[in-house]
Amino acid sequence: MPPKALVLGGNFAGLTAAITLKRELGSDVDVTLVSKSDRFVFYPSLIWVPFGKRTARDISVPIGRMLDEHGVEFVHAEATKIDPASRKVETTGSVHGYDYLVIATGFLNDFEVIPGLGPAGNAYSITALDSAVDAAEGWARFVNEPGPVVVGATQGAACFGAAYEFVFNVAYQLKRHGLQKRVPLHYISAEPFAGHFGIGGLAGGQRLLEMFFKMTGIRGVFDVAMEEIGPGQLRLTDGRTFPFRYAMVVPPFVGAEAVSVSGIGNPRGFIDVKDTYQTLQHPDVYAIGGAAAVNSPWNLVNAVGVPKTGFPSETMARVAAANIASQVRGEEPTTEENFADIPAVCVMDAGNNGVAILADRMLPPRTWGVMIPGPQNHLGKIMFERYFLWKVRHGYMHLP
């Protein structure tokens, strides 16, 4: 019998790893993908859901049939416990053995970081599909009863790109509804300066973001920590308060519960890996995407995380698939890509405008890095969304 590769997770990292490995080895490997969701979600488009520009169906694709067509077995279940010693994974449906394991279980929102955050709290979030749908219901009510708006990212957050996109889209929507001059709009972040993004910023980026803020009427507040989000008011640890009628705050992330329960992650539930994306203790176990630990290099008063979704997740997945293929062939897994060396590639939407962020390395020191503003980036993100959903729909994960 061929060796069995088990992939946990069915979004960017998991799909890429599973299909890439099967495409590389064909009948020389059995690949099974386990996911609690039977749909891929294009997370970069969650910023549009609250404004009615996208629905959940618009930005998601069923994966079961597609995986079957590519020779990958799909199991619709959630991993609940991982036992590397016995090479077994317990799920809500059954127990699966493996020869090689890829953990691509992503992240959970850490709503416990401050009081008042989360589904039962006083601010919305957009880093999960259900949260974005809730934010849409809140926005529909807000348009009828407008007031101050606060958008931000807490200390320890990493997904700053989504927060920036959201605040610029809010500014665009306020202008469309004739509310721009009536509604105060604040962006509040733990970042040390505008345009840090959790990647240290790029040359000229701070000035560019500040210009965008001035053009769109956004008041930025940086290098601060949030203490509490009360009903209609956000309070900082320095005592300042910001009233709001509508608030969206990006929280930090923690790892999947299965990782924490199994005792294979760090205190935040992420898994330490080598540059091959093998775990430190088990050469037959890999962790990629949101499941992999990436230590923040920033020594700051207010904690700032490092983003690792999207393009970095796909890169990690391809490295892991290449190394498993080598192991199956009896070779050493030598393909490496240090996270800091992965190129930074991001298109940030701003309603009817946007910014392309490109750099040779995710983290400094860099040889080059640029931020290119312009309305072409808004159109570029729309086209990329359509392309990527088409790619997933057909299982063409080998394409860029």
Side-chain angles (χ1 to χ4, degrees), residues 82 84 98 100-103 264 277-279 282-287:
I82 301 164
Y98 65 84
Y100 302 98
L101 177 65
V102 180
I103 303 173
I264 59 175
Y277 294 96
Q278 293 169 289
T279 60
H282 304 281
D284 56 343
V285 180
Y286 292 74

Side-chain angles (χ1 to χ4, degrees), residues 55-93:
T55 66
R57 303 289 295 186
D58 292 336
I59 62 172
S60 64
V61 175
I63 59 175
R65 183 174 178 179
M66 177 273 292
L67 288 169
D68 181 66
E69 291 173 350
H70 286 267
V72 176
E73 180 184 358
F74 174 59
V75 177
H76 188 193
E78 182 177 3
T80 56
K81 189 174 182 180
I82 301 164
D83 185 357
S86 64
R87 290 185 169 181
K88 290 182 179 179
V89 173
E90 296 179 17
T91 75
T92 49

Side-chain angles (χ1 to χ4, degrees), residues 42-61:
F42 189 71
Y43 278 83
S45 293
L46 290 177
I47 58 156
W48 290 325
V49 172
F51 310 111
K53 296 170 72 175
R54 296 292 186 277
T55 66
R57 303 289 295 186
D58 292 336
I59 62 172
S60 64
V61 175

Side-chain angles (χ1 to χ4, degrees), residues 138-146 179 245:
W139 182 259
R141 292 190 293 269
F142 166 84
V143 171
N144 292 320
E145 299 181 44
L179 297 171
R245 182 65 61 84

